[in-house]
C-alpha cells in the first residue's frame, strides 16, 4: 500500500515537474558560426588533420614543455606534462581577478605566468606563440559549453561590455547588435551574418590565411563600420569578450575553428 | 574645416539642418518624414546615381539591398529589394531615407548618408558624411527610375 502511494506520488511529482519545465520559457542557446558556414569550410574544421589551425595548436603544444625565462621553468613543470589540467577552464574566461581588479583573459593568464612565475618575456598578443598557446589551451575544452560568470565582481565589466556591444559607433554609426542580433542568417553582400560569437576562437580565417584572435576580429568589425579599433588585450575588448561569451552561454567551444 | 551637425530648429515636425561634406553644404527641411526640396537645387543624374549606389566606398547599397543591377555579383538581403523604389516612393520620401533613415526608424541598421557619425569615428572619417548632397540627389534620381520592370 505504502509503496504504491509513494510511486503514485513520485509519478505525480515527476509529471508536475515536466509540466513546469514545459511552461518555463526555454532559454535556447544561440547558434555557432559553424552552423552557417558553407560545407567546405565545415569539413575543414571537422577533420583535425585538414584543419590548418592545428599548425598553431602544435606550436602551443611545443611551447608548453619548453623551459624559458630566469626561473628555468616550463608550463608543464607546474601544470602537468600534457594540457589536460586546463580542461574546462578556458570556457569560463574572461574571469575577474582580485589582484588586477579587472578581468583576465586566457592570454592575460599566460602572460602572467610567463612574467611572474617563469621570469620570461610576455608574448605579444597576436604572435604565433600566443595564438598557439591560446589555441592549445582552448582546445582542451572543446565540445564543452561556454559558461562565464557575469555576476558579483564581474558584473560592472559585463555591463561595460554590454554597453560597448549596443552602442552605435563609427562613420556608419552601427552597433554590433545591428548585424549580429538583428540579422543572423541574412546575407550582407556575399557574407551570411551569424550571431557573431567567440566560441571558435582563435580561428583560422581563410581570408587571413592564418589563425587569429577574437580581438583581431573585433578590430575588423570596428574598422568595417569606420570606427576606431582598440588594441588586442585592451580592457574594452576584454569586457566585450565577456559579454560575447555570455551571449554564447551553452554554445559548445569549438576551438580552433575555421571561418571564411 | 568646421562643420555644424544637423538639427538647427525643431518646430513640430519640421527640422532644419545644415550639412557639410568636404566643401559642400546643403540645407534641408523635413516635412512629415519627407524632404521635398532638392538638397542642391540641381537635378540628380540617374546614371551617376547608379554608379554611386554601387561604389563600395560610397553608397554600397548592394551590401544590404537587392537591386536591378545583374552585372554586379552578391546582393545583400538585409533590407528590402529596391527594384520598385520608384513606384513605391516619391523623391521626397527617398531623399529622407538617404539623408537620415533614423528619422523614420531610430533603430535601423541603414546608415544616414548625410549625417556624420558621432562616436569613435576613425580619424580620417571624423566629421565627414558618407555621401555628398549631390551624391544623394543622383541616387534619388536613379531610384525614381526603378519601377519593377526588369528581370534579375
Amino acid at each position: 500500500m505504502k509503496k504504491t502511494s509513494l510511486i503514485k506520488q513520485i509519478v505525480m511529482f515527476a509529471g508536475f515537474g515536466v509540466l513546469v519545465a514545459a511552461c518555463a520559457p526555454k532559454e535556447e542557446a544561440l547558434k555557432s558560426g559553424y552552423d552557417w558556414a558553407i560545407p567546405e569550410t565545415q569539413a575543414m574544421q571537422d577533420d583535425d588533420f585538414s584543419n590548418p589551425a592545428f599548425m598553431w595548436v602544435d606550436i602551443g603544444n611545443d611551447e608548453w614543455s619548453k623551459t624559458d625565462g630566469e626561473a628555468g621553468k616550463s608550463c608543464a613543470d607546474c601544470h602537468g606534462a600534457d594540457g589536460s589540467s586546463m580542461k574546462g577552464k578556458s570556457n569560463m574566461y574572461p574571469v575577474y581577478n582580485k589582484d588586477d581588479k579587472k578581468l583576465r583573459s586566457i592570454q592575460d593568464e599566460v602572460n602572467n605566468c610567463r612574467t611572474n612565475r617563469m621570469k620570461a618575456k610576455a608574448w605579444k598578443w597576436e604572435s604565433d606563440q600566443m595564438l598557439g598557446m591560446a589555441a592549445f589551451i582552448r582546445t582542451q575544452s572543446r565540445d564543452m559549453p561556454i559558461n562565464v560568470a557575469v555576476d558579483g565582481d564581474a558584473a560592472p565589466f559585463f555591463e561595460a561590455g554590454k554597453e560597448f556591444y549596443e552602442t552605435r559607433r563609427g562613420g556608419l554609426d552601427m552597433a554590433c547588435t545591428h548585424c549580429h542580433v538583428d540579422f543572423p542568417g541574412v546575407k550582407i553582400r556575399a557574407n551570411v551574418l551569424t550571431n557573431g560569437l567567440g566560441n571558435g576562437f582563435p580561428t583560422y580565417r581563410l581570408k587571413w590565411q592564418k589563425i587569429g584572435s577574437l580581438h583581431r576580429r573585433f578590430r575588423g568589425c570596428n574598422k568595417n563600420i569606420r570606427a576606431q579599433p582598440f588594441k588586442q588585450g585592451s580592457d574594452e575588448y576584454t569586457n566585450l569578450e565577456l559579454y560575447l561569451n555570455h551571449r554564447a552561454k551553452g554554445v559548445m567551444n569549438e576551438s580552433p575553428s575555421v571561418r571564411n | 574645416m568646421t562643420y555644424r551637425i544637423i538639427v538647427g530648429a525643431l518646430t513640430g515636425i519640421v527640422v532644419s539642418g545644415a550639412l557639410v561634406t568636404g566643401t559642400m553644404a546643403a540645407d534641408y527641411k523635413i516635412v512629415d518624414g519627407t524632404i521635398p526640396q532638392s538638397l542642391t537645387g540641381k537635378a540628380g543624374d540617374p546614371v551617376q546615381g547608379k554608379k554611386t549606389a554601387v561604389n563600395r566606398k560610397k553608397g554600397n547599397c548592394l551590401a544590404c539591398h537587392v537591386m536591378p543591377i545583374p552585372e554586379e555579383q552578391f546582393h545583400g538581403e538585409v533590407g528590402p529589394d529596391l527594384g520598385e523604389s520608384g513606384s513605391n516612393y516619391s523623391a521626397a520620401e527617398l531623399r529622407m531615407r538617404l539623408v537620415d533613415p533614423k528619422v523614420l526608424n531610430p533603430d535601423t541598421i541603414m546608415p544616414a548618408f548625410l549625417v556624420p557619425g558621432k562616436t569613435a569615428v576613425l580619424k580620417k572619417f571624423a566629421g565627414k558624411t558618407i555621401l555628398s548632397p549631390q551624391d544623394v540627389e543622383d541616387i534619388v534620381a536613379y531610384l525614381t527610375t526603378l519601377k519593377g520592370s526588369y528581370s534579375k
Side-chain angles (χ1 to χ4, degrees):
Chain A
M1 275 301 175
K2 247 192 155 178
K3 228 181 198 167
T4 48
S5 82
L6 183 67
I7 288 169
K8 224 164 119 189
Q9 271 185 21
I10 289 172
V11 168
M12 273 174 64
F13 186 72
F16 183 66
V18 168
L19 198 74
V20 169
C23 293
K26 213 169 48 192
E27 258 199 64
E28 242 184 85
L30 297 180
K31 288 210 285 181
S32 163
Y34 175 92
D35 297 321
W36 281 293
I38 57 169
E40 289 81 351
T41 312
Q42 290 179 335
M44 273 175 94
Q45 180 177 320
D46 288 342
D47 175 7
D48 289 355
F49 292 100
S50 71
N51 182 344
F54 270 87
M55 276 165 49
W56 281 267
V57 175
D58 290 344
I59 293 175
N61 199 351
D62 289 347
E63 291 293 338
W64 185 259
S65 46
K66 247 189 223 165
T67 303
D68 196 7
E70 284 163 29
K73 299 236 185 269
S74 73
C75 319
D77 289 339
C78 301
H79 292 291
D82 60 10
S84 60
S85 67
M86 291 289 150
K87 195 173 168 133
K89 288 196 173 159
S90 67
N91 292 8
M92 303 188 297
Y93 274 75
V95 295
Y96 178 80
N97 183 279
K98 283 202 176 65
D99 299 331
D100 299 357
K101 297 193 171 54
K102 58 181 188 176
L103 299 180
R104 262 191 201 174
S105 61
I106 277 290
Q107 286 89 337
D108 293 329
E109 292 284 15
V110 171
N111 269 342
N112 179 58
C113 281
R114 285 187 56 79
T115 54
N116 291 326
R117 297 193 168 105
M118 296 166 69
K119 310 289 174 214
K121 264 207 195 140
W123 278 329
K124 289 220 169 71
W125 190 272
E126 212 68 42
S127 64
D128 286 338
Q129 288 109 319
M130 184 58 103
L131 289 166
M133 185 58 75
F136 176 69
I137 292 173
R138 285 210 175 266
T139 302
Q140 309 304 320
S141 310
R142 210 156 41 144
D143 301 323
M144 297 168 71
I146 304 291
N147 185 20
V148 289
V150 300
D151 54 355
D153 289 329
F157 303 92
F158 169 75
E159 289 302 332
K162 182 171 193 284
E163 193 186 331
F164 192 113
Y165 198 80
E166 293 170 350
T167 301
R168 287 184 183 271
R169 60 184 69 235
L172 302 193
D173 203 35
M174 289 178 198
C176 314
T177 48
H178 288 112
C179 286
H180 294 301
V181 176
D182 294 352
F183 294 104
V186 176
K187 251 174 39 189
I188 188 160
R189 200 81 207 209
N191 290 302
V192 176
L193 283 165
T194 73
N195 288 313
L197 303 181
N199 61 309
F201 281 82
T203 191
Y204 185 92
R205 249 194 113 185
L206 298 164
K207 187 183 156 188
W208 293 335
Q209 288 289 301
K210 70 176 297 224
I211 199 171
S213 71
L214 179 61
H215 293 193
R216 179 174 178 193
R217 189 53 136 138
F218 290 168
R219 287 173 63 82
C221 278
N222 275 159
K223 286 191 276 190
N224 282 346
I225 54 164
R226 302 180 180 177
Q228 291 280 5
F230 289 82
K231 283 211 178 82
Q232 277 113 318
S234 62
D235 294 346
E236 287 83 358
Y237 278 175
T238 305
N239 296 341
L240 183 59
E241 180 178 347
L242 180 63
Y243 180 69
L244 227 66
N245 286 350
H246 172 71
R247 268 172 59 72
K249 203 179 178 73
V251 179
M252 296 301 153
N253 170 334
E254 54 183 64
S255 310
S257 65
V258 182
R259 297 284 188 268
N260 69 345
Chain B
M1 185 178 61
T2 59
Y3 68 91
R4 285 171 294 150
I5 300 183
I6 54 147
V7 187
L10 185 78
T11 29
I13 45 163
V14 183
V15 182
S16 295
L19 295 165
V20 181
T21 14
T23 55
M24 313 247 268
D27 287 307
Y28 65 87
K29 202 178 260 185
I30 299 172
V31 183
D32 273 332
T34 72
I35 301 177
Q37 296 284 317
S38 162
L39 302 168
T40 59
K42 271 199 293 183
D45 171 359
V47 175
Q48 184 55 44
K50 179 176 174 181
K51 286 188 197 148
T52 309
V54 168
N55 187 327
R56 285 169 191 257
K57 299 215 155 114
K58 294 210 157 184
N60 197 21
C61 316
L62 292 174
C64 296
H65 293 286
V66 171
M67 297 174 83
I69 310 179
E71 62 274 25
E72 285 288 324
Q73 264 188 305
F74 306 126
H75 298 208
E77 292 170 359
V78 172
D81 187 327
L82 297 184
E84 294 177 24
S85 301
S87 318
N88 295 338
Y89 298 103
S90 67
E93 288 169 320
L94 293 169
R95 196 176 283 116
M96 178 77 258
R97 173 67 66 181
L98 292 177
V99 168
D100 187 2
K102 286 169 202 136
V103 169
L104 308 171
N105 172 9
D107 299 325
T108 188
I109 187 177
M110 180 161 152
F113 288 93
L114 283 186
V115 182
K118 297 166 201 69
T119 311
V121 179
L122 269 179
K123 276 210 185 70
K124 66 173 172 172
F125 297 108
K128 296 213 175 96
T129 57
I130 304 169
L131 297 177
S132 71
Q134 191 58 47
D135 290 336
V136 170
E137 287 306 324
D138 293 344
I139 294 178
V140 168
Y142 166 62
L143 292 177
T144 54
T145 69
L146 303 182
K147 312 259 184 183
S149 52
Y150 70 94
S151 54
K152 263 193 266 177

